[in-house]
Amino acid sequence: MLGEGPIWYGDLLYWVDIDSCRVWISEPEVDRHRMIQLDRKVGTVVPRESGGLVVALADGFAFLDPETEELLPIGDPEAGFATRFNDGKCDPAGRFWAGTMATDGTSCAGSLYVLDRDLQIHRRLSGVSCSNGICWSLDAETMYYIDTPTRQVAAFDYDLKTGTISRRRPVIAIDKANGSPDGMTMDANGNLWIALWGGWGVVCYDPRTGLLKERIEVPASRVTACAFGGEKLDQLFITTARVGLADDEEPEAGGLFVADVGVRGLPATTFSG
């Protein structure tokens, strides 16, 4: 229903179906897919360096054991609020960043958090409407971030030592006619690949110039996120959604797609806490 958060680690692709409360573990080379059914919505998933997974749920961060399928809560920074976690990823130092959004769509009700390696949770940004794509420049001195309704990719100066951000500024703007920016990833050349909700595709931009470099068409309108994977990290895996569509609309919506885009991505960073 609402695919999100793809991340390639080892020879597996991890991703989530938010509304169906599911974590998927896929082996695309052999077309094998395993599903872990949870009892609450899950916004994103990342591998943990010491083993297992970390998830951002409707009610906070938690460890997930993929063998026993058991959850171990870490903490909920918005307990009692009508919000849930959405997309997120780990920074190059192994901290887990993820943001929230209001469950009823209220604007500016969410925040962006970081789960540090000591398992402390810190708010880094407030007034967020729909927290989505996040990644870091090749030198780790810039963080790129999407709050979807802004239709922008924002850049922040990034302090890798402390995990703090400063000097927010827009670097990419997406025209309304092309959809809304959702999840994103970075390739080995430092370019951003951005999923377009309502835009039937993924676009590649150079964040240093703000110029569009490429567009990949997807046979579904609600494109949610993307991640490089495969043995050579040269395949782009793309998640989509069919939430809000009638049963007879867009038969391939909600599917997981893969595209050969001619460039390589970066190895995933795991949570080191």
Side-chain angles (χ1 to χ4, degrees):
M1 288 302 294
L2 183 50
E4 251 291 6
I7 183 169
W8 182 274
Y9 183 65
D11 57 357
L12 300 174
L13 182 76
Y14 300 90
W15 52 292
V16 304
D17 181 348
I18 296 175
D19 282 7
S20 298
C21 310
R22 294 169 175 171
V23 174
W24 285 92
I25 304 175
S26 298
E27 298 178 75
E29 294 297 325
V30 294
D31 195 27
R32 184 182 297 130
H33 309 273
R34 175 190 165 203
M35 181 268 290
I36 299 175
Q37 182 68 58
L38 303 180
D39 61 358
R40 68 207 77 172
K41 291 185 178 182
V42 52
T44 194
V45 57
V46 296
R48 188 183 184 191
E49 183 178 330
S50 60
L53 305 171
V54 193
V55 288
L57 302 164
D59 56 353
F61 294 98
F63 294 121
L64 172 62
D65 186 327
E67 303 304 321
T68 65
E69 302 187 1
E70 293 182 356
L71 287 169
L72 177 62
I74 298 170
D76 182 4
E78 297 192 354
F81 289 86
T83 56
R84 69 164 176 83
F85 271 92
N86 202 46
D87 203 3
K89 287 293 182 291
C90 291
D91 73 8
R95 305 178 187 92
F96 185 15
W97 288 71
T100 59
M101 57 182 287
T103 54
D104 65 358
T106 299
S107 297
C108 303
S111 295
L112 178 64
Y113 295 92
V114 58
L115 173 65
D116 219 326
R117 295 161 294 192
D118 61 1
L119 305 188
Q120 296 299 305
I121 302 170
H122 307 282
R123 179 188 281 115
R124 292 293 189 237
L125 196 65
S126 58
V128 172
S129 293
C130 184
S131 190
N132 257 309
I134 188 168
C135 52
W136 289 263
S137 60
L138 300 180
D139 61 9
E141 293 183 355
T142 304
M143 186 183 86
Y144 299 105
Y145 174 67
I146 292 172
D147 179 4
T148 292
T150 68
R151 300 189 183 279
Q152 295 177 344
V153 177
F156 296 82
D157 290 346
Y158 195 70
D159 187 325
L160 187 61
K161 183 177 180 179
T162 63
T164 54
I165 56 178
S166 60
R167 207 171 69 86
R168 181 175 185 165
R169 67 271 186 195
V171 291
I172 295 168
I174 304 294
D175 187 270
K176 184 177 181 179
N178 296 325
S180 299
D182 203 309
M184 68 176 167
T185 191
M186 177 172 283
D187 66 28
N189 298 316
N191 296 315
L192 297 174
W193 294 76
I194 305 165
L196 297 176
W197 178 274
W200 299 86
V202 175
V203 286
C204 175
Y205 276 84
D206 185 338
R208 295 150 295 200
T209 64
L211 296 178
L212 175 67
K213 297 178 66 68
E214 192 169 350
R215 176 182 169 89
I216 304 297
E217 300 293 334
V218 178
S221 64
R222 291 159 164 78
V223 186
T224 56
C226 53
F228 284 95
E231 183 180 358
K232 298 180 180 179
L233 294 178
D234 60 353
Q235 295 178 299
L236 189 69
F237 290 89
I238 302 166
T239 54
T240 64
R242 64 171 305 99
V243 61
L245 297 174
D247 291 344
D248 58 352
E249 287 184 281
E250 298 184 30
E252 295 189 83
L256 173 68
F257 300 90
V258 60
D260 294 316
V261 293
V263 296
R264 292 188 179 188
L266 301 168
T269 303
T270 58
F271 178 63
S272 60

